[in-house]
Amino acid sequence: MKKSIFYHAGCPVCVSAEHDIIELLGSNNVEVVHFGEDTTRINEAEMAGVKSVPALVTPNGNVLHINFGASMADVKA
Amino acid sequence: MKKSIFYHAGCPVCVSAEHDIIELLGSNNVEVVHFGEDTTRINEAEMAGVKSVPALVTPNGNVLHINFGASMADVKA
C-alpha cells in the first residue's frame, strides 16, 4: 500500500495527533513530515491541498485536516 | 483492539471522510455512527469531546476532528 503522509509543525496539537495517527495506521503506513525540520516540503503540501496542520494526505490524495494546530500561513511565518 | 468510533451527520464532507477513514483503518476497526439515523448517540459523542463532525474518537479516547462538516449545534438543530 502507498503510504499516507502526515504533515505537521511540531505544535502540541500536532504531536498529539501524530501519536494517534501512528497508533491507528501503524508507523509503517505513514510518512511523517515536520515543517520545522524540513521547510522544503511546504510547497509540496500546499500543492496537495493542505491548508492547516496537522493534516493527513491519504494514499489516494485526499486531505484530512485533523483538529487545528496552525494555518499554512503560520507555518511559513 | 478496541474500535475507534467515527461520528458523522451524512454531510458530503462527512461521507468523503468516512470513506477515507474506513480505507485507512479497515472497516473492522471502526464503528460508524450517523446522527441522522441515531440521534440517541449525540449525547455520548458530546461527552467524549466531539465538537464538530466528522470526528473520530480513538480507542484511547482522543478526539480527532476531521475537516469540518457541521458543528454539534447544527447536528441538533
Side-chain angles (χ1 to χ4, degrees):
Chain A
M1 193 175 92
K2 211 177 143 199
K3 284 192 182 192
S4 298
I5 307 178
F6 181 80
Y7 293 101
H8 75 111
C11 54
V13 169
C14 296
V15 172
S16 169
E18 181 186 344
H19 289 163
D20 292 331
I21 291 294
I22 286 178
E23 199 158 309
L24 290 169
L25 274 60
S27 57
N28 290 337
N29 298 320
V30 193
E31 178 189 3
V32 175
V33 174
H34 185 331
F35 290 138
E37 294 166 357
D38 190 354
T39 55
T40 66
R41 304 287 296 270
I42 292 177
N43 189 47
E44 160 202 306
E46 285 192 312
M47 295 290 286
V50 173
K51 297 193 187 327
S52 63
V53 286
L56 186 75
V57 178
T58 69
N60 59 19
N62 288 349
V63 183
L64 301 179
H65 295 97
I66 300 168
N67 294 337
F68 184 82
S71 70
M72 288 302 278
D74 292 334
V75 167
K76 287 187 276 188
Chain B
M1 192 174 92
K2 212 177 141 198
K3 283 192 182 192
S4 298
I5 307 178
F6 181 80
Y7 293 102
H8 76 111
C11 54
V13 168
C14 297
V15 172
S16 170
E18 180 185 344
H19 290 162
D20 292 330
I21 290 294
I22 286 177
E23 199 157 308
L24 291 170
L25 273 60
S27 57
N28 290 338
N29 298 318
V30 193
E31 178 188 3
V32 175
V33 174
H34 185 331
F35 291 137
E37 294 167 357
D38 189 355
T39 54
T40 65
R41 303 289 296 270
I42 292 177
N43 189 47
E44 160 201 307
E46 285 192 311
M47 295 290 286
V50 172
K51 297 192 189 325
S52 63
V53 286
L56 186 75
V57 177
T58 68
N60 58 19
N62 287 347
V63 183
L64 301 179
H65 296 98
I66 299 168
N67 294 336
F68 184 82
S71 69
M72 288 302 279
D74 292 335
V75 167
K76 288 186 277 188

